[in-house]
Amino acid sequence: MDLSLAAIITILPLTITILLVFHFYHPLPEFVRQKLQLGQRYCCYLVAYQCYKPPSDLRFTTETFTKILSHRNHDPDDCRFFLNSLATSGIGAETCGPRNIAESRKSPATLHESLQEADAPMFETLDKLFTTSGVPPSRVDILVTTVSLFAPSPSLSARIVNRYKMKQGIKSYSLAGMGCSSGIVGIDLVRHLFTTMPPTALAVVVSTEAVGAHYYRGRDRSMMLPNAVFRTGGCSLLLTNNPSWSHRAVAKLTALVRTHLADDAAYDSVVQIEDEEGCPGFRVSRQSTDTAKLALVANFRVLLPKVLPLWEILARFLRRRVMTGVSVKSGIQHFCVHTSRKAVIDAVGRSLGLGEDDVEPSRMTLNRFGYTSCSSPWYVFGYMEAKKRLKRGDRVLMVGLGAGFMCNTCVWTVMRDLEDGNVWGDCISRYPPGTSIAATATTTSDAADE
C-alpha cells in the first residue's frame, strides 16, 4: 500500500503537467495526432533531385554591372550604392545570370529569350533526373512547376508535358507569382494530392526562374537591391508516396508549414511596381526584415511542436517560454536558410540560435550560385550532401521567404547516408574559401616531417 501511494505521488506531478499542456497549448494535440494517425496514412519520399549549373559564359562580374549602370546614366552616388550592395551581399564571382544581362545589353529580354532562360534549368535538370532515377517521363502522375516572375501561355508545365510526351491523364500545375518560397508550395501541393491517390504515385516538382525581362533599369535604390542578388538557377525533384521505395529514397517529408501574413505592411514589404519613371522592378521596403521575423515566428509556433522532442516542449511550457528561445537544434541537425543576402542569413541564424557551421552551407550557396529564388534551398541541401554531412536519420530544415508575405518551411528526414557531389562536384573542395589551401598546407607539412 505504501509503495502504491509512493508511486502515485511520484507520477502525479508529471500527469498534471501533461494534462495542463494538452489543455492550454493547442498545437500539441495536433502534433500527437499527426504522429499517431496521419503519419501512418500517407507519406512523401524524395527519390532524387537535380540542381542546374549555368554555363560559365553567363557569369556576372563587377564589370557586367558597371556597363549596365553606365547604360542608364546613373549618377556616381547610385553606382557606388549598388556596387557597395553587391560587395556586401555575400555573392562571389562565379555566379551566373540571364544572357541579356551577362552581355550587358541595353534592352530587356524578349519573350523568346525569357522562355530560353526558363527552359534551360527545367530541361537540363529533368533530363538528368529521369536518367539517374531510371523513371521514364511516362510514369509521372503529377507535375508541378514553380516560378516567381514568369507566366507564359502555354504554361511552363505544358511545355514540359509536350517535350517529354507525358501521359494524357497527368495532373499538371503551373504556379507563378507566388514568390521565392513557392518551391515549398509546390511540394505541399504534391503531398496533398498524394493523399487522394494510390500509394504508387510519382510526382515531379520543377522550380525555375526568368529574371532577364524583369531586371530593374531605373534609379530607385530600394528597387536596385534585387539586381545585386538574383541569379540563374533551378531544380527538379522526384517524389513518391510509395512506401516500398523508402530504401532508395533520399529523404522523407516529416513536416511542412505554410504561413501567409495578411496585413498591408507585410503585403507591401516586397512588391512588383513601376517607379516614377515607369521602370518596372521589385521594391524591397525597409520593413521587409521585420516582416520576415514576424512570419518566421508565426510559422515556427506551428512547425516546432511537430519536430521537437516532447521533453523540449514540456520544459519550455513549464518555464513559460513555449516556442520562445526553443533550442531548434534539439530536433533538427541541418539548416537550409533563406539565401537572399548574407545579412538575411545571419539574421535568421541568430534568431534560431545557430552557429557558424549551421549557416555555412547557406552562405557558401549564396557565394557560389547567388540567390536562385525558389530553387535555392536545394543548392544548400546539395552542398551538405557533397560535404558528406547528411547521415541516415538526420533532419534538415528548409526555410523559404517570399512576397505576399509568406514564410514556408519543411523538414526532411534523411533516409540513408548521402555523399553525391551533385552540382557542387567540381568545386566543393574550394568551399569554404581557404579549406583546400589549408588541406594542401597540412599535407605538405606532413610530407616534410616524414
Side-chain angles (χ1 to χ4, degrees):
M1 184 70 178
D2 293 339
L3 291 177
S4 300
L5 182 61
I8 293 174
I9 294 174
T10 301
I11 66 172
L12 186 60
L14 178 60
T15 303
I16 294 175
T17 299
I18 293 175
L19 291 175
L20 286 173
V21 172
F22 268 74
H23 180 72
F24 291 107
Y25 189 52
H26 69 276
L28 189 58
E30 173 68 15
F31 161 77
V32 175
R33 183 174 70 87
Q34 287 197 355
K35 288 293 185 184
L36 298 182
Q37 298 176 12
L38 292 184
Q40 302 299 322
R41 193 173 67 183
Y42 76 93
C43 56
C44 179
Y45 291 102
L46 172 68
V47 179
Y49 73 101
Q50 291 288 336
C51 293
Y52 174 65
K53 184 178 180 180
S56 58
D57 64 325
L58 296 181
R59 284 183 180 172
F60 274 17
T61 64
T62 302
E63 290 73 20
T64 303
F65 291 108
T66 302
K67 290 181 181 179
I68 290 293
L69 293 171
S70 65
H71 291 164
R72 294 296 299 173
N73 298 318
H74 286 273
D75 62 49
D77 288 341
D78 287 342
C79 291
R80 280 193 293 269
F81 168 78
F82 180 83
L83 294 177
N84 181 65
S85 299
L86 181 64
T88 59
S89 65
I91 291 180
E94 295 185 78
T95 62
C96 299
R99 188 166 297 279
N100 67 304
I101 305 302
E103 296 178 354
S104 304
R105 299 181 197 167
K106 294 182 179 181
S107 58
T110 63
L111 175 60
H112 177 68
E113 289 172 333
S114 294
L115 287 171
Q116 288 182 321
E117 183 186 349
D119 285 348
M122 291 196 307
F123 297 149
E124 182 173 318
T125 57
L126 283 172
D127 288 346
K128 292 180 180 179
L129 189 74
F130 292 135
T131 300
T132 57
S133 67
V135 175
S138 58
R139 287 280 309 279
V140 177
D141 302 293
I142 303 169
L143 172 64
V144 180
T145 62
T146 69
V147 62
S148 296
L149 307 175
F150 189 46
S153 183
S155 66
L156 295 180
S157 60
R159 293 176 70 82
I160 294 175
V161 171
N162 184 61
R163 177 183 174 93
Y164 294 98
K165 308 307 177 189
M166 293 177 166
K167 57 187 176 186
Q168 294 181 355
I170 190 171
K171 300 179 184 297
S172 64
Y173 304 85
S174 189
L175 307 181
M178 297 193 70
C180 300
S181 62
S182 59
I184 297 178
V185 177
I187 296 171
D188 186 42
L189 175 58
V190 167
R191 70 157 180 162
H192 279 91
L193 290 172
F194 275 166
T195 65
T196 68
M197 304 179 73
T200 56
L202 290 169
V204 168
V205 178
V206 183
S207 296
T208 187
E209 201 55 85
V211 300
H214 303 275
Y215 187 87
Y216 179 63
R217 299 172 182 273
R219 297 180 175 86
D220 188 328
R221 294 187 178 183
S222 66
M223 299 174 68
M224 293 171 66
L225 290 176
N227 290 353
V229 296
F230 273 95
R231 296 294 187 271
T232 295
C235 68
S236 292
L237 318 176
L238 177 63
L239 306 168
T240 186
N241 64 351
N242 192 339
S244 66
W245 284 41
S246 61
H247 68 282
R248 61 178 293 189
V250 172
K252 179 180 180 180
L253 185 63
T254 302
L256 191 152
V257 174
R258 294 171 55 187
T259 301
H260 195 146
L261 299 184
D263 64 75
D264 293 341
Y267 181 86
D268 292 332
S269 61
V270 181
V271 62
Q272 187 177 18
I273 61 170
E274 293 181 344
D275 64 13
E276 295 180 353
E277 298 178 355
C279 295
F282 277 84
R283 183 188 65 202
V284 180
S285 72
R286 295 178 180 273
Q287 288 74 37
S288 61
T289 302
D290 293 335
T291 299
K293 290 179 180 179
L294 290 174
L296 192 63
V297 169
N299 184 282
F300 272 42
R301 287 187 182 277
V302 180
L303 175 70
L304 294 187
K306 301 174 185 290
V307 297
L308 291 186
L310 184 59
W311 61 263
E312 178 76 25
I313 299 173
L314 291 174
R316 295 297 170 177
F317 179 83
L318 292 176
R319 299 175 188 173
R320 299 183 180 275
R321 294 174 59 193
V322 179
M323 298 303 102
T324 302
V326 168
S327 176
V328 180
K329 297 175 69 173
S330 63
I332 299 170
Q333 289 74 43
H334 308 282
F335 303 85
C336 301
V337 180
H338 187 76
T339 59
S340 61
R341 298 193 311 276
K342 180 179 180 296
V344 173
I345 295 174
D346 293 344
V348 173
R350 286 193 299 270
S351 65
L352 297 181
L354 305 182
E356 292 294 315
D357 291 341
D358 299 317
V359 297
E360 174 201 307
S362 297
R363 286 178 178 171
M364 296 305 103
T365 297
L366 179 64
N367 181 274
R368 172 59 184 87
F369 292 99
Y371 183 43
T372 59
S373 188
C374 47
S375 65
S376 61
W378 293 103
Y379 286 87
V380 184
F381 188 94
Y383 177 90
M384 293 185 289
E385 178 176 5
K387 285 289 188 180
K388 302 180 181 180
R389 297 176 183 175
L390 300 180
K391 305 300 181 182
R392 177 181 172 86
D394 286 356
R395 286 183 171 182
V396 183
L397 169 67
M398 292 184 175
V399 179
L401 303 170
F405 189 91
M406 293 186 290
C407 174
N408 298 322
T409 59
C410 63
V411 176
W412 297 91
T413 299
V414 179
M415 298 299 294
R416 53 186 169 84
D417 293 355
L418 303 177
E419 54 184 23
D420 183 34
N422 57 79
V423 74
W424 289 89
D426 64 342
C427 64
I428 191 64
S429 62
R430 295 189 278 113
Y431 291 90
T435 302
S436 59
I437 297 176
T440 302
T442 301
T443 303
T444 304
S445 176
D446 292 342
D449 291 340
E450 292 178 0

